[in-house]
């Protein structure tokens, strides 16, 4: 097989009206370069996924798609979050291309890393992780918490690529297998290593956002971090069991000790020790219940089997409607 791979670059966008006009031409230039350098097929495309933006993002995407046939867009029926937007884009692309690269739309990730990503794919890798070589542009707080978090995840037995976010090349072969992972609690960077296949990493340095503001405040970051742990590892439950056994043993010794002291007649009003024990056990129990509750909650969400994304509009369908033509969209040639 000597045909070139068809690449789809998948870019989630949520309220990005400031940054899109700046970065869209950069993505087009990159695509043109990849085609020009003979790495990918001329039928390659850029797919913007509008994640229920409240500003003019979708209009801008439609406009871009009107002006350049290499740009496509889909719109989610409402805001569902970055991870779901990525899945929507990847599933839209899976049967229409050979490789996808997911990247944020704010220009923080170095587009030039795509060259090496595609080269690695041509060299036989099915997944190529974009890895930040430094965290200089992050605040001290984000840098330290992120690094601590990756260590904890690793310690809990989840396989994640250190300092990799969602800048990633994935072949459609891998995506077809990934489609069988039906969970709704998504933590993509931890799920792809589970799919397997030959993979490698490409290093780049991350820049500041070109415009607009981050949509990942501390609250969302913590939620994603928690999703990461609970969707990849059940070790916390095992830890709780271990803790329970440990505390039970200590309590047993404590009970023996108090009974013996009582028999020997040396008891005094032990208010302090009683209070300590009650507080300690109460705290541990509540904490344990909370952690177990998290998993029960996740199980509940999974059993509902709600769709992970709902696409309400596609730019090529809009075009087709307007032209009244029989154009079926960006199907594979
Ligand atoms: N994003 C999204 N849905 C959301 C939040 C963010 O599709 O609910 C997109 C956003 O447009 C961007 C990417 O996810 O392309 C990463 O978001 P952001 O740059 O705000 O995060 P940060 O880089 O600060 O972690
Ligand atoms: Mg960003």
């Amino acid at each position: 097989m000597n045909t070139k791979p068809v690449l789809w670059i998948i870019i989630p966008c949520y309220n990005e009206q400031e940054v899109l006009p700046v970065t869209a031409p950069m993505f087009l230039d990159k695509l043109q370069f990849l085609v020009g350098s003979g790495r990918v097929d001329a039928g390659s495309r850029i797919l913007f996924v509008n994640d229920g933006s409240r500003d003019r993002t979708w209009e801008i995407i439609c406009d871009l798609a009107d002006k350049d046939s290499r740009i496509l867009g889909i719109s989610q029926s409402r805001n569902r979050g970055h991870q779901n937007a990525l899945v929507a884009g990847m599933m839209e692309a899976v049967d229409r291309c050979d490789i996808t690269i997911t990247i944020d739309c704010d220009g923080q990730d170095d587009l030039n890393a795509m060259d090496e990503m595609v080269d690695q794919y041509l060299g036989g890798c099915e997944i190529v992780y974009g890895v930040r070589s430094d965290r200089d542009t992050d605040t001290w707080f984000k840098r330290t918490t992120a690094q601590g978090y990756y260590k904890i995840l690793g310690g809990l037995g989840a396989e994640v690529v250190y300092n990799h976010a969602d800048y990633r090349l994935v072949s459609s072969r891998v995506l077809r297998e990934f489609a069988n992972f039906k969970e709704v609690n998504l933590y993509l960077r931890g799920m792809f290593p589970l799919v397997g296949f030959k993979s490698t990493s490409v290093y780049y340095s991350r820049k500041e956002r070109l415009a607009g503001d981050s949509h990942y405040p501390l609250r969302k970051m913590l939620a994603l971090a928690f999703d990461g742990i609970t969707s990849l590892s059940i070790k916390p439950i095992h830890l709780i069991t271990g803790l329970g056994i440990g505390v039970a043993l200590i309590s047993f010794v404590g009970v023996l000790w108090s009974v013996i002291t009582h028999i020997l007649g040396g008891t005094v009003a032990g208010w302090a020790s009683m209070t300590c024990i009650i507080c300690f056990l109460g705290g541990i129990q509540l904490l344990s219940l909370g952690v177990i509750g998290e998993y029960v909650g996740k199980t509940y969400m999974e059993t509902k089997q709600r769709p992970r994304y709902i696409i309400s509009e596609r730019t090529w369908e809009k075009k087709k409607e307007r032209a009244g033509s029989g154009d079926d969209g960006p199907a594979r040639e």
Side-chain angles (χ1 to χ4, degrees):
M1 199 182 76
N2 57 359
T3 51
K4 290 175 194 160
V6 175
L7 164 71
W8 275 37
I9 302 175
I10 295 164
I11 309 167
C13 309
Y14 176 56
N15 293 347
E16 298 284 13
Q17 62 182 10
E18 277 117 36
V19 84
L20 256 185
V22 184
T23 51
M26 292 165 54
F27 288 120
L28 267 178
D29 281 352
K30 183 80 277 180
L31 187 70
Q32 189 156 0
F33 173 79
L34 289 171
V35 172
S37 63
R39 287 180 172 88
V40 301
D41 189 84
S44 298
R45 295 284 179 268
I46 294 172
L47 176 69
F48 287 105
V49 184
N50 172 38
D51 186 21
S53 303
R54 284 175 233 279
D55 63 0
R56 293 196 61 255
T57 301
W58 180 235
E59 282 88 62
I60 295 174
I61 294 174
C62 292
D63 233 39
L64 289 165
D66 275 346
K67 290 194 184 112
D68 196 310
S69 61
R70 291 169 298 172
I71 292 186
L72 306 166
I74 55 176
S75 186
Q76 293 224 80
S77 58
R78 53 158 294 161
N79 178 248
R80 295 289 301 273
H82 180 203
Q83 303 286 299
N84 300 67
L86 285 173
V87 173
M90 291 188 297
M91 292 303 118
E92 195 70 24
V94 62
D95 291 326
R96 297 181 165 118
C97 65
D98 302 298
I99 37 176
T100 57
I101 294 180
T102 48
I103 184 168
D104 293 353
C105 77
D106 54 14
Q108 282 191 280
D109 300 312
D110 184 7
L111 293 182
N112 294 326
M114 286 190 194
D115 309 355
E116 202 189 331
M117 284 183 170
V118 176
D119 287 342
Q120 292 288 359
Y121 167 78
L122 296 172
C125 288
E126 302 273 346
I127 304 178
V128 186
Y129 301 101
V131 177
R132 304 170 62 166
S133 51
D134 58 66
R135 280 186 168 265
D136 294 346
T137 54
D138 277 352
T139 58
W140 174 87
F141 179 74
K142 190 158 183 178
R143 193 162 54 229
T144 328
T145 48
Q147 269 161 8
Y149 175 67
Y150 280 118
K151 292 224 168 79
I152 292 174
L153 259 188
L156 291 174
E159 212 182 303
V160 276
V161 178
Y162 194 58
N163 272 346
H164 159 70
D166 285 300
Y167 186 17
R168 179 173 48 227
L169 177 147
V170 180
S171 72
S172 42
R173 187 172 160 210
V174 170
L175 281 183
R176 274 189 279 277
E177 300 303 331
F178 170 80
N180 294 324
F181 287 57
K182 300 289 184 200
E183 61 230 67
V184 294
N185 295 293
L186 296 168
Y187 191 67
L188 297 176
R189 67 193 74 168
M191 289 168 73
F192 279 105
L194 293 177
V195 184
F197 292 93
K198 193 171 175 209
S199 63
T200 188
S201 298
V202 160
Y203 296 85
Y204 68 97
S205 66
R206 200 162 199 243
K207 292 173 268 190
E208 299 280 2
R209 217 170 208 283
L210 290 180
D213 294 318
S214 168
H215 303 97
Y216 270 98
L218 188 62
R219 181 178 51 81
K220 267 200 198 173
M221 240 167 66
L222 286 178
L224 183 69
F226 219 88
D227 260 354
I229 293 179
T230 49
S231 65
L232 293 176
S233 168
I234 55 162
K235 260 205 179 151
I237 290 189
H238 295 320
L239 289 179
I240 286 175
T241 316
L243 190 73
I245 293 171
V247 172
L249 281 177
I250 295 170
S251 314
F252 183 66
V253 174
V255 168
L256 270 185
W257 168 69
S258 56
V259 169
I260 291 170
T261 340
H262 178 73
I263 292 169
L264 295 180
T267 44
V268 283
W271 181 82
S273 56
M274 281 297 289
T275 313
C276 289
I277 291 169
I278 290 170
C279 290
F280 176 65
L281 286 182
I284 296 244
Q285 279 173 358
L286 278 184
L287 175 76
S288 309
L289 268 179
V291 174
I292 294 167
E294 282 292 331
Y295 284 94
V296 175
K298 288 273 152 73
T299 315
Y300 176 59
M301 293 310 289
E302 295 293 349
T303 53
K304 286 179 196 270
Q305 297 203 321
R306 287 186 177 154
R308 296 189 285 190
Y309 57 89
I310 296 170
I311 296 169
S312 56
E313 283 175 85
R314 293 175 172 85
T315 49
W316 55 94
E317 286 173 356
K318 283 172 81 134
K319 270 189 185 175
K320 185 179 148 188
E321 256 171 45
R322 259 181 326 195
S325 73
D327 179 8
D328 283 332
R332 280 211 79 127
E333 280 118 48

